[in-house]
């Protein structure tokens, strides 16, 4: 179950992963081969360096070239499959005819952005041909050519999706409306330039909100708004935007993102996550609130392997909910615990959010991974206390302690899976390997253990997982690229410097700034989901935090925790709807039950924000 399909549908409701168009099959095969090659190259680099003490200097360069091609081809596959993340909560409230118009207009807006960016992408690739790579001594156009190819493929797929199932009248009306608005902006362009930084709330806030409401995929909300901002209010050429997008989606640190996504797929397919759930159930299932403890502990440990909230919830819920229902737990309470447990576990490494934050804000990944465990433990303890109080009337009739042989058997089955999160944390935290290198080792370990002890994965299933991983990674990286371009546009206006000056004048110093941070990231977590919020705001907020003397790791933990509370907070938080879908519970019923758990997480967040010790004790 992949994160894109779960985050894509109406009100965040999941859809099954869609198969791509027939004419995209060659692209899917190339993307799967690129992902396999990246993993192979990185593994070869780790082995040559640590086993043979013989570093291969060109591996990182080849991996970087392959990574950009994977990102752009994956983004095109995501357009084809309809797997780019978007918010359809508001569109879903409209009448069907208006929904259909919005869907057509959204895809035509995507096509407009891609059509405008195609020529700059081509020119960027030509410019890169004059630069030679350091190790392979080849023109960098071999790498940069991925941009026009990917943009071109996305354009074709966006137009095909817009035309598919749309009437001629709807298409014509959409084109006329888009052309009219574009023409109006061009006419009033001179007046807009005179507004100065007032254009920021108009374009980089208002337009993003408008596109989100229309159901435009999040990556293209950022892209369209930044394109309009640069085109109508500044003299900056659009060509610059392509360079910012390239920089945002191709950092070497981000190489671990698709590999950890693949790791989550491997764990789902092999049942390693389920084995962890079962061993915890055998240890704690007989005590009052035991199944709640098992759910929280499973989220904590499984998150330490998969790095994905969706994979965590999809692994844990089916294994525990039947027994919890038998003991008298109400389904809305179970959903509330599942959703807030996922928010708690977001800082447990290998968290993709922490990896992206480290890349965007220049913070040590090892430090984030080390601190993430301690922060998750604080939140775990608070949720466990609330769960114990909530379970005071739990029915324990017929509940028996698991026998010692059963516990031993469950532990033996789960032991190889239980080792994995500690391998990941230790290798990164102790500086033995980078997050990227550890991700490849973890995938290899999971594949070998899964094949030998958990039944393995069929080749057809493995190929499907590679394709799904490429599409999801492309969608994620496209968001990061577009958000990076918007963040760059924000910083060029001088807004960041003005924000620093304004915040430093606030009464209360760093504590007031922490309060502002919590509000900002909770709101952004509700609307945007984690990754775009981080890439957009980190370049602005972290310099302010540093100017106030706040430790980077401490601030990072507050940011991620606030963002994930927002993600699980109804009525907008997308993660809340994912949990409801996985548990097959009405959002209306679960909404009433989740507030005490959100309150518990807020208490934990305030403690974490006020006491830096929790974030820095193990550094």
């Amino acid at each position: 179950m992949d994160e894109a399909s779960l985050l894509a549908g109406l009100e965040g409701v999941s859809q099954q992963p869609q198969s791509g168009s027939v004419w995209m099959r060659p692209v899917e095969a190339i993307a799967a081969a690129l992902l396999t090659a990246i993993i192979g190259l990185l593994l070869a680099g780790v082995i040559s360096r640590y086993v043979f003490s013989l570093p291969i200097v060109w591996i990182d360069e080849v991996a970087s070239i392959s990574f950009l091609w994977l990102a752009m081809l994956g983004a095109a596959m995501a357009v084809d499959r309809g797997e780019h993340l978007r918010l359809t909560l508001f569109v879903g409230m409209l009448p069907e005819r208006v929904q259909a118009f919005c869907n057509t207009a959204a895809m035509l807006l995507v096509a407009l952005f891609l059509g405008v960016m195609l020529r700059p992408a081509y020119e960027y690739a030509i410019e890169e041909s004059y630069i030679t790579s350091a190790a392979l001594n080849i023109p960098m156009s071999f790498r940069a050519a991925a941009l026009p190819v990917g943009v071109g493929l996305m354009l074709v797929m966006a137009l095909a999706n817009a035309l598919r199932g749309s009437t001629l009248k709807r298409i014509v009306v959409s084109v006329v409306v888009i052309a009219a608005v574009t023409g109006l902006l061009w006419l009033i362009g001179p007046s807009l330039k005179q507004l100065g930084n007032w254009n920021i709330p108009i374009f980089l806030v208002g337009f993003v909100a408008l596109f989100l409401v229309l159901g435009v995929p999040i990556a293209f909300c950022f892209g369209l708004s930044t394109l309009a901002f640069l085109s109508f209010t500044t003299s900056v050429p659009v060509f610059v935007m392509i360079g910012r997008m390239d920089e945002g989606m191709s950092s070497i640190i981000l190489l671990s993102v698709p590999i950890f996504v693949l790791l989550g797929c491997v764990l789902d397919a092999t049942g390693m996550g389920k084995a962890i759930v079962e061993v915890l159930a055998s240890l704690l299932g007989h005590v009052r609130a035991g199944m709640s403890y098992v759910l929280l502990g499973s989220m904590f440990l499984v998150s330490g392997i998969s790095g994905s909230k969706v994979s965590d919830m999809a692994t844990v819920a089916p294994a525990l909910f039947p027994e919890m229902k038998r003991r008298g737990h109400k389904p809305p309470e179970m959903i509330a615990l599942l959703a807030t447990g996922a928010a708690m576990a977001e800082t447990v490494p290998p968290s993709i959010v922490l990896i992206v934050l480290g890349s965007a804000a220049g913070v040590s990944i090892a430090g984030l991974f080390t601190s993430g465990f301690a922060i998750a433990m604080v939140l775990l303890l608070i949720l466990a206390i609330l769960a114990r109080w909530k379970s005071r009337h739990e029915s324990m009739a017929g509940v028996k302690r698991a026998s010692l042989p059963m516990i031993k058997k469950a532990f033996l089955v789960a032991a190889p899976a239980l080792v994995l999160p500690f391998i990941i944390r230790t290798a990164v935290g102790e500086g033995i390997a980078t997050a990227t290198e550890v991700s490849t080792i973890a995938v290899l370990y999971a594949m070998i253990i899964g094949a030998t002890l958990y039944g393995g994965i069929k080749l057809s299933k493995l190929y499907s997982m590679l394709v799904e991983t490429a599409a999801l990674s492309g969608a994620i990286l496209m968001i990061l690229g577009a958000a990076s371009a918007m963040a760059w546009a924000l910083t060029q206006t001088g807004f960041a410097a003005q924000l620093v000056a304004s915040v430093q004048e606030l009464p209360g110093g760093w504590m007031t700034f922490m309060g502002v941070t919590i509000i900002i990231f909770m709101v952004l977590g509700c609307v945007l989901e984690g990754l775009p919020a981080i890439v957009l705001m980190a370049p602005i907020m972290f310099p302010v935090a540093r100017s106030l003397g706040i430790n980077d790791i401490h601030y990072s933990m507050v940011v991620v925790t606030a963002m994930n509370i927002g993600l699980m907070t109804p009525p907008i938080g997308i993660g809340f709807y994912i949990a409801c879908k996985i548990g097959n519970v009405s959002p209306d019923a679960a909404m009433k039950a989740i507030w005490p758990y959100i309150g518990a997480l807020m208490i934990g967040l305030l403690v974490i924000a006020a006491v830096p010790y929790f974030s820095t004790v193990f550094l």
Side-chain angles (χ1 to χ4, degrees):
M1 190 175 297
D2 69 273
E3 193 153 0
S5 61
L6 281 166
L7 286 173
L10 178 63
E11 294 186 348
V13 173
S14 69
Q15 303 167 349
Q16 291 301 315
Q18 302 179 32
S19 58
S21 306
V22 174
W23 49 81
M24 285 293 285
R25 298 291 165 78
V27 175
E28 293 176 356
I30 293 170
L34 284 170
L35 180 56
T36 305
I38 289 170
I39 294 172
L41 283 167
L42 294 174
L43 278 172
V46 173
I47 293 169
S48 67
R49 185 163 68 254
Y50 289 109
V51 178
F52 301 107
S53 299
L54 185 67
I56 303 175
V57 294
W58 51 264
I59 280 183
D60 282 350
E61 200 166 275
V62 175
S64 177
I65 294 170
S66 303
F67 181 50
L68 184 59
W69 278 95
L70 174 68
M72 296 308 297
L73 296 182
M77 290 160 54
V79 173
D80 177 44
R81 293 160 170 255
E83 290 185 356
H84 275 282
L85 279 66
R86 65 193 188 111
L87 182 67
T88 54
L89 176 67
F90 300 107
V91 172
M93 299 176 180
L94 301 174
E96 286 190 17
R97 289 180 60 185
V98 181
Q99 283 187 44
F101 171 77
C102 288
N103 289 333
T104 301
M107 290 314 300
L108 288 174
L109 284 167
V110 170
L112 172 64
F113 171 74
L114 293 167
V116 172
M117 299 305 295
L118 184 57
R119 181 172 179 177
Y122 171 76
E123 292 173 348
Y124 182 78
I126 296 298
E127 287 287 329
E128 289 289 288
S129 66
Y130 299 110
I131 303 172
T132 302
S133 66
L136 296 176
N137 201 32
I138 60 174
M140 290 300 288
S141 54
F142 280 97
R143 175 186 172 279
L147 293 163
V149 170
V151 170
L153 283 172
M154 282 189 280
L155 175 59
V156 172
M157 292 299 102
L159 289 172
N161 286 347
L163 297 174
R164 190 183 302 133
S166 295
T167 63
L168 179 61
K169 179 181 177 182
R170 197 184 304 146
I171 292 170
V172 170
V173 172
S174 299
V175 170
V176 169
V177 171
I178 293 170
V181 173
T182 305
L184 177 63
L185 289 171
W186 181 78
L187 286 173
I188 64 174
S191 300
L192 289 172
K193 289 180 181 178
Q194 295 176 9
L195 294 177
N197 281 355
W198 284 107
N199 285 307
I200 293 174
I202 295 173
F203 285 90
L204 303 186
V205 178
F207 271 45
V208 169
L210 173 63
F211 293 140
L212 278 172
V213 168
L214 288 175
V216 176
I218 292 174
F220 300 100
C221 291
F222 291 153
L224 282 161
S225 300
T226 307
L227 176 63
F229 177 75
L230 294 178
S231 300
F232 299 119
T233 71
T234 74
S235 302
V236 177
V238 177
F239 177 85
V240 176
M241 191 173 166
I242 281 288
R244 298 303 100 192
M245 291 179 66
D246 178 16
E247 184 179 316
M249 70 172 66
S250 58
S251 168
I252 196 72
I253 296 175
L254 298 178
L255 261 173
S256 57
V257 170
I259 305 174
F260 276 130
V261 170
L262 178 61
L263 178 60
C265 294
V266 171
L267 294 170
D268 279 344
T270 57
M272 292 173 73
K274 186 179 178 182
I276 292 175
V277 175
E278 289 176 351
V279 74
L280 288 176
S282 69
L283 291 170
L284 298 172
H286 63 282
V287 301
R288 189 173 300 279
M291 297 310 292
S292 297
Y293 299 154
V294 172
L295 188 151
L296 292 171
S298 299
M299 296 299 295
F300 185 92
L301 289 174
V302 173
S303 178
I305 304 175
S306 73
S308 164
K309 292 182 294 294
V310 176
S311 294
D312 302 343
M313 292 191 287
T315 299
V316 171
L320 295 181
F321 277 15
E323 175 62 17
M324 293 180 76
K325 286 180 182 178
R326 192 190 70 76
R327 296 193 186 190
H329 288 261
K330 296 178 181 178
E333 292 284 339
M334 291 153 48
I335 292 300
L337 193 61
L338 179 70
T340 50
M344 167 273 297
E346 185 59 52
T347 62
V348 179
S351 165
I352 292 173
V353 170
L354 291 184
I355 294 168
V356 172
L357 177 58
S359 172
V363 182
S364 162
I365 301 292
L368 291 174
F369 277 17
T370 300
S371 180
F373 262 108
I375 294 305
M377 286 297 295
V378 172
L379 300 175
L380 175 65
L381 178 62
I382 290 173
L383 286 175
I385 292 171
L386 177 60
R388 176 66 181 83
W389 183 79
K390 286 273 189 178
S391 300
R392 62 193 184 280
H393 302 304
E394 179 181 359
S395 172
M396 302 299 292
V399 176
K400 297 180 180 179
R401 182 192 296 266
S403 65
L404 191 59
M406 286 180 62
I407 294 174
K408 286 182 178 179
K409 181 180 178 181
F411 184 79
L412 286 173
V413 171
L418 286 167
V419 169
L420 188 52
F422 297 101
I423 292 175
I424 293 169
R425 182 254 176 266
T426 303
V428 176
E430 298 299 324
I432 298 171
T434 66
T436 303
E437 292 169 340
V438 169
S439 66
T440 60
I441 296 169
V443 166
L444 179 64
Y445 176 89
M447 293 288 288
I448 293 173
I449 295 299
T452 55
L453 299 179
Y454 295 94
I457 305 171
K458 294 181 179 179
L459 286 177
S460 59
K461 174 67 175 176
L462 180 59
Y463 176 77
S464 175
M465 286 162 48
L466 289 169
V467 171
E468 288 297 326
T469 298
L472 175 55
S473 301
I476 291 172
L477 293 164
M478 192 67 189
I479 289 174
L480 301 185
S484 294
M486 178 176 279
W488 174 84
L490 269 173
T491 56
Q492 294 306 301
T493 62
F495 172 74
Q498 293 173 11
L499 181 65
V500 172
S502 300
V503 169
Q504 288 177 337
E505 293 174 359
L506 289 174
W510 71 273
M511 290 292 285
T512 301
F513 178 67
M514 279 295 194
V516 172
T517 295
I518 289 170
I519 294 170
I520 289 174
F521 280 94
M522 281 189 66
V523 172
L524 290 177
C526 280
V527 178
L528 294 181
E529 213 266 332
L531 302 182
I534 281 175
V535 177
L536 183 61
M537 296 303 296
I540 297 171
M541 301 296 283
F542 271 79
V544 182
R546 288 167 187 147
S547 73
L548 295 172
I550 300 173
N551 181 279
D552 276 355
I553 301 295
H554 177 209
Y555 190 63
S556 298
M557 293 302 111
V558 173
V559 164
V560 173
T561 305
M563 193 178 59
N564 280 286
I565 294 174
L567 181 66
M568 297 299 173
T569 301
I572 299 177
I574 300 170
F576 168 73
Y577 294 100
I578 297 173
C580 291
K581 182 61 180 177
I582 289 173
N584 196 26
V585 173
S586 164
D588 291 338
M591 199 175 295
K592 297 176 183 177
I594 199 171
W595 294 114
Y597 295 92
I598 294 291
L601 286 179
M602 281 301 302
I603 292 171
L605 173 57
L606 293 175
V607 170
I608 292 164
V611 186
Y613 176 81
F614 291 115
S615 301
T616 59
V617 60
F618 294 121
L619 297 182

